[in-house]
Amino acid sequence: MFARIKEGIAVVFERDPAARNTWEVITCYPGFHALLSHRFAHWLWQSGFKWLARLVSHLGRWLTGIEIHPGATIGRRVFIDHGMGVVIGETAEIGDECTLYHGVTLGGTSWNKGKRHPTLGKGVVIGAGAKILGPIFIGDGAKIGSNAVVVKEVPAGATAIGIPARIVEGQDATVAGRFAAYAVAKDMNDPMVQAIHELIDHSVGTDKRIDQILAELKRLGMQIDEPVASKLDVNSLNRMVD
């Protein structure tokens, strides 16, 4: 048990540059407290003391603002940063080395018994406010951007953002070998944004070709009634999309 506590303290120093000393972590870090109380609540749950486990979980939520059902399975070296508003459901499974920020929900989408909450692989990073819903699997090393709503599985090593979440391409969401604070890299190409930019460019190109065709028809003496239409403001549209 003491080895797990030391491990939990070490994780805080690894992933939070604001941590100054061990005493501060032990007394002032709600994520550390929540995981510590969950270990005890989970042991009670597995031992058949369901009500007592729920009571310990309820007290932990009252003290930390983090709600973890005692039935949830949480691996080693997991870190919950800030933590307020985090909700982890009964059948959720969190692998080793995962990081969750405040406002994260690992929720269910069904009222039926059985597996109804997400499973996180090893080393998953979930940004602030993200919601992962249903019995889906998030692959090892995946990263979920802030406020994303994930309802489909995310492959290992992928980054997902948006509502509903989409897989994005770009630089790995790390900074100097470590994860980006909110799981979003600076240079990511959102496929939806890319598609809109391409549609705008295609529309502009089509307008130019039509203008050329009309000019040539006029040169040949054909009478053409041109509809009055405002031209696309390409720069303005691209700025709005970005």
Side-chain angles (χ1 to χ4, degrees), residues 13-28:
F13 283 111
E14 279 182 21
R15 304 185 201 172
D16 185 3
R20 295 181 300 173
N21 54 64
T22 300
W23 180 244
E24 183 178 69
V25 172
I26 292 173
T27 56
C28 301

Side-chain angles (χ1 to χ4, degrees), residues 80-196:
I80 300 177
D81 195 10
H82 299 294
M84 180 61 71
V86 168
V87 176
I88 300 173
E90 177 187 5
T91 61
E93 300 172 58
I94 301 176
D96 298 341
E97 306 284 348
C98 289
T99 301
L100 282 66
Y101 287 86
H102 54 279
V104 166
T105 298
L106 304 183
T109 56
S110 170
W111 290 349
N112 298 324
K113 297 288 187 181
K115 177 67 172 173
R116 59 191 185 279
H117 297 96
T119 297
L120 310 186
K122 182 178 180 180
V124 174
V125 180
I126 305 182
K131 316 299 177 189
I132 304 179
L133 307 175
I136 59 177
F137 181 72
I138 309 299
D140 294 353
K143 296 170 179 64
I144 310 300
S146 300
N147 296 315
V149 177
V150 184
V151 293
K152 295 181 180 179
E153 296 195 351
V154 177
T159 300
I161 64 172
I163 304 173
R166 304 179 299 276
I167 306 301
V168 295
E169 300 173 354
Q171 296 175 352
D172 181 41
T174 60
V175 177
R178 301 166 70 89
F179 58 83
Y182 286 89
V184 179
K186 292 181 180 178
D187 180 23
M188 284 196 286
N189 297 316
D190 186 330
M192 188 66 69
V193 172
Q194 274 188 314
I196 294 173

